[in-house]
Amino acid sequence: MNPLALLIFELMKWPGGFLNNNITNRHLWMLVILSLPPALLINLGLAPFSSDEPIRVTVAMEMILSGQYFFPTLAGLPYYNKLPLFNWIVAALFQLSGSWHEVIPRLYNVCVLLIYAGVIYLAFRKQLGKQVASLTALALVTTGDILFWDSLLGLIDITFSLLMFLMFMAIFAAASKPRPGVYYLAAYLLASLGFMMKGLPSVVFLGLTWIALAISIRSWKPLLRLNHLFGILVFLLILGAYALAYSRYNDPGMYLNVIWRESSQRTVVNHGWWNTFSHLFTFPFTIGYHFLPWTLWLVVFTLRSARQHVIKHAFLRFLLLTLGINIVLYWTSPEMHPRYLLMLLPLGLVLFMEPMLSLKPLSAPLLRFSLITGRVFSLMALLSIPSLYLYFIYYQDFTPSTWLFILLIPTLCLVFLFRQQDVYRTGILIALSVLVIRIAFNLTVLPQREMHNQDLVLKEAAEEIATTTLGKTLYLAWNTQIHELTLAYFTRERREILARHHPEHVPGTWYVSDAPMLEKMDRKRIPYEVKKTFPTRYYSKPVTLYLVQIQP
């Protein structure tokens, strides 16, 4: 070994005896619980609405303003891309809180994430033991993609994933618990709620998971029970009730057409063979990267005993088949985002977490690998604090909060807390290290990012124009290209729907328009006066919008 590396390793071991003998795993879990609120909440509402957030909140706000909860709209036009259950939740949050601030849907999402982790613990505890269940639940919260992206936004995916995970567990219980009819009904009820959020994926998950169950128990009886008929009836009653309510406003068939088109857009039909073929090779590496640090522990499957352990265990075999069959949908889909896989993530995590914690004795090289992995991430947590502070001061002209340095002492202790031969303790410490990095991220990257965030420019411009038009009759010119973020802040500030409308010669009426729509108004000889211009974008293309008033 390199002499310098050996010296560092020995220095890291020096205080380890004292700390390891006095700090138990219970103490470490207390540190995890204390670290979660600052990691998940600091500066949570700082950024403007992002990703799909503007669409979700605008649809919810328009429901509140119009009172039409069964007929979702966007800019006053029917919105078909998603069914309304998540929008109902967001609308309820806005109504209960009395605020339409960015933090409201994000705080809800954080709460659902923690509930999801709790459900994972309860689902796995009886089958696999407390250590496996608790570390899998903690790993879900501290995977890179969830901790540094999904938990920062108020998106639909964590709620949908919780419903689908509960459905997986209900399907397994239908074959392993007394009174299976209850679990059949629960599975179809959860699938119907999932359909009311994201449409067809929940139906596909339902069908493929029943097949996975039949293969895992080597029996087709669960697929032939009459309980399916009662479950299907519940599913159809829920969807039929909504379709009946929706038919009072619009044709439900149009909804189904768009939902089908949305699902088919992510297949080879829409992306071609070459993109699909290349995605087959990049997909495992993409997933491995996004769900670090825990995907590093996949090395346990280099052991034959680990592979045999999973296959022989009835519950793990069901999870393996459920994961393997359902993930094919995304492995063959070029238009895939990691957040689409969050319902399958706990299945994958527990498949390697269980042998890592249960196989005794674990091979010496694997033990060393887990220990080194933990120490690497604790060192990253320690180094992230001064490095982020110095980087932003000297290169970004931004001074982070001095609270950042309070993290230094507990993070330094993390480096020395690794007890050799204890994978469970190493896992807790890896999670703690990642949580410290997220806290440092909250205190440095998030506020600095907002200083140069182009979405903040769009937000401020929309809020300014919306404020100046309060009390005025304002429309969005029919084919105007506008970003949903701009639309969301117009709706929030004015507390009115910015509805699309064909320009007419009605003096005193105001329009938000882009240049092509102004040309159409010129051709129709509708006199107008440009009052202000402001920026938006259409996808990634910058667009200039015009606030105009129709003249006599």
Side-chain angles (χ1 to χ4, degrees):
M1 182 182 286
N2 184 292
L4 180 60
L6 183 62
L7 176 63
I8 293 172
F9 192 78
E10 291 300 320
L11 287 173
M12 288 169 66
K13 288 166 58 179
W14 173 67
F18 171 78
L19 290 172
N20 279 317
N21 291 332
N22 290 275
I23 297 182
T24 65
N25 288 344
R26 178 171 291 185
H27 293 135
L28 293 180
W29 274 106
M30 290 176 64
L31 287 174
V32 168
I33 293 169
L34 290 172
S35 300
L36 280 170
L40 295 173
L41 299 178
I42 291 177
N43 286 328
L44 183 64
L46 188 62
F49 291 124
S50 182
S51 186
D52 289 342
E53 278 186 311
I55 299 175
R56 307 287 164 252
V57 299
T58 304
V59 173
M61 288 187 288
E62 292 193 12
M63 283 180 171
I64 295 170
L65 294 169
S66 68
Q68 295 181 347
Y69 290 89
F70 293 106
F71 181 53
T73 61
L74 186 66
L77 299 180
Y79 178 72
Y80 298 114
N81 290 29
K82 292 286 185 293
L83 279 96
L85 180 55
F86 188 75
N87 301 118
W88 291 344
I89 294 171
V90 176
L93 292 169
F94 285 159
Q95 294 284 65
L96 290 171
S97 66
S99 171
W100 294 3
H101 194 274
E102 291 89 344
V103 78
I104 301 300
R106 294 172 185 173
L107 185 58
Y108 160 80
N109 210 34
V110 168
C111 293
V112 173
L113 174 62
L114 296 177
I115 292 170
Y116 191 8
V119 168
I120 289 168
Y121 173 75
L122 294 174
F124 291 163
R125 181 184 58 182
K126 289 185 179 180
Q127 296 284 349
L128 305 171
K130 289 184 178 180
Q131 284 197 350
V132 173
S134 60
L135 197 55
T136 303
L138 183 58
L140 176 93
V141 177
T142 54
T143 52
D145 195 71
I146 287 181
L147 196 60
F148 292 94
W149 178 253
D150 295 302
S151 63
L152 287 164
L153 302 173
L155 301 177
I156 195 173
D157 301 278
I158 293 178
T159 304
F160 177 72
S161 297
L162 171 59
L163 293 175
M164 293 300 97
F165 177 79
L166 286 169
M167 186 185 75
F168 298 153
M169 296 303 102
I171 289 173
F172 180 77
S176 59
K177 301 279 186 183
R179 299 179 62 193
V182 174
Y183 298 104
Y184 276 82
L185 286 176
Y188 280 93
L189 175 62
L190 290 162
S192 66
L193 294 177
F195 192 93
M196 288 294 293
M197 278 194 180
K198 294 193 75 171
L200 289 175
S202 67
V203 178
V204 177
F205 284 135
L206 178 70
L208 292 180
T209 306
W210 281 115
I211 294 172
L213 175 68
I215 297 172
S216 70
I217 65 174
R218 300 179 178 89
S219 171
W220 295 102
K221 288 183 180 179
L223 300 183
L224 304 176
R225 288 181 180 270
L226 291 177
N227 301 92
H228 283 289
L229 296 178
F230 297 107
I232 292 170
L233 181 62
V234 168
F235 185 92
L236 293 177
L237 280 174
I238 292 173
L239 298 187
Y242 176 69
L244 182 62
Y246 185 83
S247 66
R248 295 172 54 197
Y249 306 96
N250 200 6
D251 179 11
M254 299 180 68
Y255 229 143
L256 291 175
N257 288 337
V258 175
I259 289 170
W260 176 261
R261 188 169 66 248
E262 280 281 300
S263 301
S264 64
Q265 281 178 354
R266 296 182 174 91
T267 65
V268 65
V269 175
N270 197 59
H271 288 274
W273 287 104
W274 174 247
N275 287 336
T276 304
F277 184 72
S278 60
H279 178 72
L280 295 176
F281 292 95
T282 59
F283 178 81
F285 300 101
T286 301
I287 296 308
Y289 163 74
H290 280 280
F291 297 132
L292 284 171
W294 302 103
T295 45
L296 293 173
W297 279 13
L298 282 167
V299 294
V300 72
F301 289 120
T302 59
L303 300 178
R304 184 180 179 186
S305 58
R307 299 192 298 270
Q308 290 177 337
H309 179 75
V310 168
I311 293 171
K312 290 178 181 178
H313 195 291
F315 183 57
L316 293 178
R317 186 169 62 248
F318 165 73
L319 297 181
L320 175 64
L321 286 165
T322 301
L323 173 64
I325 292 175
N326 283 295
I327 206 170
V328 171
L329 298 172
Y330 299 99
W331 203 326
T332 57
S333 171
E335 193 177 326
M336 189 280 305
H337 297 286
R339 65 177 185 267
Y340 296 165
L341 298 173
L342 298 186
M343 73 293 295
L344 301 175
L345 181 57
L347 281 58
L349 290 172
V350 79
L351 285 174
F352 59 77
M353 202 72 74
E354 211 280 337
M356 281 290 287
L357 295 171
S358 300
L359 289 181
K360 307 292 184 186
L362 205 58
S363 69
L366 203 55
L367 277 172
R368 284 198 299 272
F369 177 81
S370 68
L371 186 65
I372 291 169
T373 301
R375 283 187 167 163
V376 165
F377 276 93
S378 66
L379 281 171
M380 287 173 60
L382 178 64
L383 295 174
S384 70
I385 296 168
S387 60
L388 283 170
Y389 192 87
L390 293 173
Y391 172 77
F392 284 117
I393 285 178
Y394 287 102
Y395 293 100
Q396 299 293 331
D397 194 25
F398 167 75
T399 303
S401 169
T402 53
W403 285 96
L404 187 64
F405 285 98
I406 295 176
L407 291 172
L408 274 173
I409 294 175
T411 308
L412 183 62
C413 294
L414 277 179
V415 179
F416 303 108
L417 275 172
F418 290 92
R419 178 185 295 165
Q420 203 163 3
Q421 310 295 319
D422 192 343
V423 177
Y424 181 64
R425 188 180 181 87
T426 299
I428 302 172
L429 290 167
I430 289 174
L432 266 172
S433 301
V434 177
L435 288 172
V436 167
I437 295 172
R438 167 64 193 268
I439 295 171
F441 177 87
N442 291 346
L443 293 171
T444 55
V445 176
L446 288 183
Q448 191 277 337
R449 181 185 287 172
E450 291 317 295
M451 294 172 61
H452 307 284
N453 190 347
Q454 291 302 310
D455 284 351
L456 186 61
V457 176
L458 304 190
K459 172 188 174 180
E460 291 174 347
E463 288 178 334
E464 179 188 351
I465 301 299
T467 303
T468 62
T469 57
L470 287 174
K472 297 178 172 63
T473 302
L474 178 68
Y475 296 106
L476 179 64
W478 186 255
N479 287 325
T480 295
Q481 295 181 338
I482 187 171
H483 195 272
E484 290 84 2
L485 183 142
T486 302
L487 190 63
Y489 286 110
F490 260 95
T491 307
R492 189 179 80 173
E493 295 305 309
R494 288 172 48 82
R495 292 296 199 271
E496 292 180 4
I497 296 173
L498 183 61
R500 291 188 180 272
H501 188 268
H502 289 287
E504 296 176 352
H505 189 190
V506 179
T509 304
W510 296 69
Y511 285 91
V512 171
S513 175
D514 59 7
M517 283 305 300
L518 288 184
E519 292 176 5
K520 289 186 178 180
M521 292 167 69
D522 289 333
R523 289 197 297 270
K524 290 183 178 180
R525 297 183 179 179
I526 298 176
Y528 61 85
E529 180 184 353
V530 175
K531 297 293 186 179
K532 287 189 178 181
T533 62
F534 59 101
T536 188
R537 69 173 185 269
Y538 189 68
Y539 296 99
S540 59
K541 181 183 73 173
V543 175
T544 298
L545 293 179
Y546 302 84
L547 177 66
V548 302
Q549 183 181 24
I550 303 301
Q551 300 298 304

